[in-house]
Amino acid sequence: LFVGDAGSVIGESTVEKFRVDLTRTYCDMVQCALALRGDWALVLANIAKEEQATKKKDPSRLTTKRIGQWSFALNANGTPRSSNQDALEARQLARINALARFLLLEDSTIAGSLVPCVIQCLGYPDAYSARRCTRLCHRILEVVASYTQYADLIGRQMFSVLVKAIVTEPKWMVGMEWDMIAVIRDIYCRLALGQWLLPCGQGAAMQQARNSNDGQLFEQTKYVDKPLQGGGILCSGSDLPRQILAGLPGIGPDIVRDLDMLMVQKTAAKHQKDGLRDLLRAAAENVKQMEEIDSNNQEKSGLFGRANLEESVLNEKLRSALVPSIPEKLITKSQLLKSEAKLHQQSSSSLVGDSSIGALFGEY
């Protein structure tokens, strides 16, 4: 990007705007390639809708629209389905699986650039890009979590970026903390605990049993070759996520072991996310106490400042309710206006009484 003779401020803002636009375009492009956006994403949405309708034992409930005597099959976005769309979606589904495998597993040059770029975008101070990168991280985990060559890239680099983003509580990340915690949970379950999740980290975790021949290994999931249905886990396990959490200020191996017990005993998404949130909140408080206060700017404000108590999701259980309790006697606005008018009338009459003609001439 050439800014010419523009001033330093204008040039810097232009370069920053160009960088933000480029990052957003890159995230959208990778989303389209991994079927998280565009026409391919509609294929997966249709499959999810049909599975949901089948579970409810009414396949036509979510996919068919009736107008009079005519019925029309609909896509997940409400558009009508064509007569040959089933065959078209079958070919598109095969392409989705093949392209994801090619980008992340078959070509090391592409994967060696794609995954680190997504990890770096997680920490870029733009909520639009970071939120979309969390979805990309889920898809990457579903495809490559079972491969040991990805253990360091995911268990150390990606995990540390996510944990740092939560613990430092930057203002630009306010509103998407749960998305980050969901990816942390996905990594921790697949790499450390032998648990696998539904696509995009949804639902309760499914615990895999230990291998009967080697107690140090987990049994692989039956969806290891079907990432769109949940993907696999790292059978050998990895202690990298545990080491990162244990190295946080005020967090030691004992607290991490307690977290492991909690997440193994309670596999529901809410319980596991709350356990991770409590641990990260304790670490964030310790980091906050250790930070040195800048003498020139004691409270760092703006986009790169730390989120305050009201903004941080880590402290949402500690905050008091913002909505006051309803009084026993309900007073409407019209009643307030009437009472104010009555008080005004009384004060006016008292003033008139004091300034009467008799009072002016001293007649009492």
Side-chain angles (χ1 to χ4, degrees), residues 178-190:
W178 285 118
D179 297 327
M180 294 283 192
I181 293 177
V183 183
I184 293 175
R185 173 188 177 234
D186 202 349
I187 296 174
Y188 202 81
C189 288
R190 293 181 188 271

Side-chain angles (χ1 to χ4, degrees), residues 61 80 129 155 195 231 290 303 309 361:
R61 181 177 179 180
S129 302
Q195 299 175 350
M290 293 171 59
L303 183 66
L309 181 63
F361 289 93

Side-chain angles (χ1 to χ4, degrees), residues 29-36 44 96 100 103-104 136 139-140:
M29 178 194 67
V30 180
Q31 279 194 112
C32 292
L34 296 180
L36 294 170
L44 302 183
I96 291 170
L103 292 176
L104 297 172
L136 293 174
R139 181 54 50 83
I140 291 172

